Amino acid sequence: MLKLENISFEVHTEDTHKGILKNINLEIDDGFVAITGPNGGGKSTLAKIIAGIYQPTSGKIYFDGVDITDMSITERANLGISFAFQQPVRFKGLTVKDLITLAAGKKITVSDACVYLSEVGLCARDYIDREVNASLSGGELKRIEIAMINARGTRLSVFDEPEAGIDLWSFNNLIQVFEKMHNKTQGSIIIISHQERILNIADKIVVVANGEIKQYGDKNDILPALLGKTATSCKALMDNA
């Protein structure tokens, strides 16, 4: 479905030249893939390159065999790629139903919109006519954003650290939503995350560090060693405190 060939991304300023991604080669088929790794390692940059927010400095990206390297985020969205930001955008003046209708790309009934909201654990009666403004919490916005992605029915959905900025109750609900998506998806889900509970529901895990892919494989092969390294690092910090 998704193939990245020798993807590099560099940032140039007057004083510096920094390589963020270095010759990334990656193939993702249908299923649930989690991308993890240390902060600053290039995870979010990789997600934004897949979505078309950033253009790679070099390399090629293919989606269902089509070269999308030079396509914009809108063109990629039309092909079936969705991207969810760490901080969902608020749309003053638009209601939740308005957003779901826009995402679906067609006229939908209140009943249809309610189905999408119910799938992400929101009571439609309480949200369908709510304005998408500061009155909604971060967790509510993220679930509404997922409802929009479900309404679009995209082949590839990319989420950049969906757990960022939400409380534990919202996070627990978010995990349930992703579990439901995982069980019913007919395409691919890519989630950038540090959270063990999200990594644990993935089919495959990609570990990105220093702009390179360090590991990629089945969750059962990678997660135990990954958690072991985390525990060892934490113990070392405690011993040196």
Side-chain angles (χ1 to χ4, degrees):
M1 174 199 272
L2 182 71
K3 184 177 182 181
L4 282 69
E5 290 185 349
N6 300 315
I7 292 294
S8 294
F9 183 73
E10 300 173 352
V11 175
H12 299 269
T13 66
E14 291 183 0
D15 302 318
T16 61
H17 163 78
K18 185 176 181 181
I20 308 298
L21 297 176
K22 307 162 190 174
N23 295 316
I24 296 286
N25 288 284
L26 181 65
E27 289 191 43
I28 293 176
D29 295 317
D30 290 353
F32 192 128
V33 178
I35 299 179
T36 193
N39 290 332
K43 304 183 302 299
S44 289
T45 299
L46 180 58
K48 289 172 181 174
I49 282 177
I50 291 170
I53 296 170
Y54 295 160
Q55 293 294 320
T57 305
S58 61
K60 292 286 186 181
I61 307 173
Y62 298 92
F63 181 64
D64 285 341
V66 176
D67 185 348
I68 64 170
T69 311
D70 298 321
M71 289 187 182
S72 67
I73 185 171
T74 301
E75 291 170 319
R76 295 186 197 197
N78 289 335
L79 284 180
I81 299 176
S82 292
F83 182 81
F85 292 88
Q86 283 189 30
Q87 298 298 328
V89 180
R90 299 175 191 269
F91 298 89
K92 188 175 181 180
L94 289 179
T95 67
V96 171
K97 181 178 183 295
D98 291 334
L99 283 187
I100 295 176
T101 300
L102 287 170
K106 60 184 179 181
K107 188 174 182 179
I108 63 173
T109 66
V110 171
S111 178
D112 293 331
C114 288
V115 169
Y116 293 122
L117 289 172
S118 297
E119 286 177 347
V120 297
L122 294 177
C123 176
R125 179 180 65 249
D126 297 335
Y127 288 91
I128 196 72
D129 294 321
R130 286 274 297 274
E131 189 174 322
V132 187
N133 56 23
S135 69
L136 293 169
S137 71
E140 289 170 327
L141 280 170
K142 288 188 179 183
R143 283 192 278 170
I144 289 167
E145 188 172 45
I146 295 171
M148 292 169 62
I149 288 173
N150 285 342
R152 285 199 63 217
T154 51
R155 289 265 292 121
L156 173 62
S157 303
V158 184
F159 297 87
D160 187 9
E161 297 195 32
E163 70 274 12
I166 62 173
D167 57 38
L168 181 60
W169 184 87
S170 295
F171 177 66
N172 288 335
N173 280 275
L174 206 61
I175 291 293
Q176 294 175 11
V177 170
F178 284 130
E179 286 175 335
K180 288 179 183 177
M181 287 184 71
H182 184 203
N183 291 333
K184 68 176 289 187
T185 185
Q186 311 219 330
S188 287
I189 301 169
I190 298 176
I191 299 187
I192 313 300
S193 182
H194 297 284
Q195 290 289 335
E196 179 183 345
R197 287 181 63 188
I198 289 180
L199 300 182
N200 201 46
I201 59 175
D203 298 312
K204 295 187 176 181
I205 294 176
V206 182
V207 181
V208 177
N210 298 318
E212 300 175 337
I213 292 179
K214 300 299 184 181
Q215 291 178 285
Y216 177 38
D218 291 340
K219 170 194 66 181
N220 294 332
D221 295 331
I222 291 179
L223 188 57
L226 198 61
L227 295 178
K229 288 179 182 178
T230 302
T232 301
S233 298
C234 289
K235 184 178 185 301
L237 286 172
M238 292 295 290
D239 290 343
N240 292 326

